[in-house]
Amino acid sequence: MSYQSSWRSPSNIALIKYWGKKDPQLPLNPSLSFTLSECYTEMTVSAELETGFSLKVMYNGIPKPSFGQKINDFFKKLDTCYPWLKNASIVIESKNTFPHGAGIASSASAMSALALCLQSIHDDFNEKEPDDNNWFQHVSEIARLGSGSACRSVFPVAALWGKTSTVRDSHDRYAISWKEHIVPVFHTMQDAILIISDEEKSVSSSAGHQLMENHPYALSRYTAANHNLQRLMDSLEKEEGMDEFISIVESEALQLHAMMMSGATPFILIKPNTLNAIQEIWRFRKESSIPVCFTLDAGPNIHLLYPVEYATTIEKWISSRLVEFCSGGQVIFDHVGYGPVKLS
Ligand code: DP6
């Protein structure tokens, strides 16, 4: 029997960072992210059941056996949810709207797309109609097993992942939607991604999480993340919360990289131009009073966040003062978005 499912699923950018985990891929502090819109994965999964297991992965139409290991590891965790999987021939065809390895969380969009496709195939196989809220919660839990940050990509606008005492529904196993807790100005946030370097990262996120084990500042970091989360949730609820938002988001980005630099095996992912761009962002914000701030993923690239009403001014400023710091002048313009879309 053959089944097929296609989904588009977006990347997300964490405002409060997930950095440090325990088995089975559970976070050591809660995180909160904006869901992006233009940076997404489109994936089709075809499954021929009861044939014996095989896996073929295609990326941009080209076979990519190197992606197979991570997916195989993911599938092994899904034996009980999807018993049919271990006896199926699976073909995964995937493409991204953004360059692979450009520091944009490609595992978030790819693993969430894969979880969405697998659950849709599972529903078809069991002749079940998806029921809305629980469905995405369940998919979030599956996506988490593929990549932690992927569990936040299945919700529109914003998502909270990880148990926090002030939010009853919060959970370490899955993310929940945070859309309803955000005032309109934050729904309009733009994310201009300055590609400072598109070289392969020297240390992967998974290796980085591991280095939080026995990190001398790990406990202080988890306390700070919890504290920053409470402050961020408060600021997102208020139209006048922008200044607080900016200070928390930048502090989180710098703390993430401070952790990388201060562990037993230190590493540095930012580049000189990351710092040059940050200096320019701080100069411009002071001079213009425009609410623009930056965050960083586990890489050198800068996510520039600002409300849409300043888009024209900011785009001119990027062209005149920031593009010079970007590799090949690359900037990707994205914005807070509406979550995954089922294609077929
Ligand atoms: C810095 O989700 O990529 O982007 O769970 O090992 O797949 P794995 O890690 P991943 O880590 C993301 C780290 C981060 C912060 C964040 O997205 O919260």
Side-chain angles (χ1 to χ4, degrees):
M1 268 176 307
S2 304
Y3 296 87
Q4 197 175 68
S5 171
S6 300
W7 279 86
R8 170 186 300 172
S9 190
S11 185
N12 68 77
I13 178 67
L15 306 170
I16 303 295
K17 308 293 182 182
Y18 148 58
W19 199 242
K21 63 177 169 181
K22 60 183 180 199
D23 266 349
Q25 202 123 277
L26 297 168
L28 289 170
N29 66 260
S31 57
L32 198 150
S33 56
F34 279 150
T35 306
L36 296 180
S37 186
E38 305 301 327
C39 291
Y40 57 78
T41 296
E42 271 184 9
M43 185 177 282
T44 299
V45 177
S46 313
E48 184 81 33
L49 304 197
E50 289 161 20
T51 54
F53 181 75
S54 70
L55 173 65
K56 187 171 170 196
V57 185
M58 309 279 287
Y59 180 70
N60 285 339
I62 299 164
K64 270 278 178 190
S66 59
F67 290 179
Q69 186 58 46
K70 195 165 181 178
I71 295 171
N72 266 314
D73 291 347
F74 178 38
F75 282 2
K76 282 193 194 117
K77 300 176 192 166
L78 302 177
D79 269 4
T80 39
C81 322
Y82 306 136
W84 47 268
L85 194 53
K86 56 179 178 294
N87 201 20
S89 305
I90 304 289
V91 179
I92 298 174
E93 292 168 271
S94 155
K95 56 180 188 223
N96 290 348
T97 52
F98 51 96
H100 178 71
I104 300 161
S106 57
S107 63
S109 57
M111 287 298 178
S112 56
L114 183 51
L116 289 156
C117 291
L118 291 175
Q119 184 60 36
S120 292
I121 289 175
H122 185 74
D123 291 345
D124 286 351
F125 176 58
N126 290 301
E127 295 175 4
K128 249 178 62 192
E129 280 301 313
D131 108 64
D132 257 13
N133 242 333
N134 287 340
W135 196 85
F136 283 102
Q137 184 178 301
H138 179 63
V139 173
S140 172
E141 186 166 353
I142 302 284
R144 184 202 94 236
L145 295 168
S147 176
S149 54
C151 76
R152 298 186 309 239
S153 272
V154 302
F155 296 104
V157 183
L160 168 68
W161 171 37
K163 187 67 194 163
T164 177
S165 55
T166 55
V167 182
R168 201 165 36 88
D169 301 342
S170 61
H171 214 289
D172 283 347
R173 284 193 286 114
Y174 48 80
I176 58 175
S177 171
W178 206 247
K179 179 181 162 195
E180 305 304 329
H181 305 276
I182 295 182
V183 291
V185 65
F186 293 109
H187 287 243
T188 77
M189 290 302 268
Q190 308 293 294
D191 179 1
I193 308 165
L194 311 179
I195 309 295
I196 304 292
S197 166
D198 53 11
E199 284 168 20
E200 196 76 30
K201 288 188 288 187
S202 55
V203 179
S204 70
S205 290
S206 295
H209 285 290
Q210 262 173 25
L211 291 170
M212 284 302 282
E213 288 168 22
N214 306 318
H215 191 296
Y217 304 130
L219 288 182
S220 319
R221 163 62 198 150
Y222 302 140
T223 306
N226 276 286
H227 177 68
N228 283 344
L229 175 67
Q230 297 311 315
R231 288 173 60 211
L232 186 79
M233 290 191 301
D234 284 351
S235 66
L236 288 169
E237 271 178 8
K238 297 185 247 169
E239 286 290 342
E240 69 282 9
M242 190 58 81
D243 288 349
E244 182 81 343
F245 172 88
I246 288 173
S247 114
I248 301 159
V249 166
E250 292 190 348
S251 162
E252 274 291 306
L254 295 175
Q255 280 189 28
L256 169 70
H257 285 263
M259 287 300 107
M260 298 175 192
M261 293 182 209
S262 55
T265 312
F267 60 105
I268 300 179
L269 295 184
I270 52 172
K271 302 276 184 199
N273 273 342
T274 311
L275 295 179
N276 288 331
I278 290 174
Q279 296 294 353
E280 172 56 21
I281 294 162
W282 283 344
R283 186 204 63 77
F284 176 80
R285 186 167 72 225
K286 195 163 175 209
E287 194 182 287
S288 67
S289 298
I290 289 178
V292 54
C293 66
F294 70 86
T295 187
L296 303 161
D297 251 335
N301 302 326
I302 291 198
H303 290 249
L304 203 57
L305 304 175
Y306 49 95
V308 70
E309 66 179 290
Y310 301 103
T312 313
T313 313
I314 299 271
E315 281 166 26
K316 275 196 201 130
W317 165 59
I318 291 173
S319 304
S320 65
R321 301 298 288 266
L322 289 172
V323 151
E324 63 189 276
F325 302 128
C326 300
S327 163
Q330 292 177 84
V331 181
I332 298 174
F333 289 95
D334 208 333
H335 53 91
V336 167
Y338 296 97
V341 178
K342 191 171 199 298
L343 303 173
S344 70

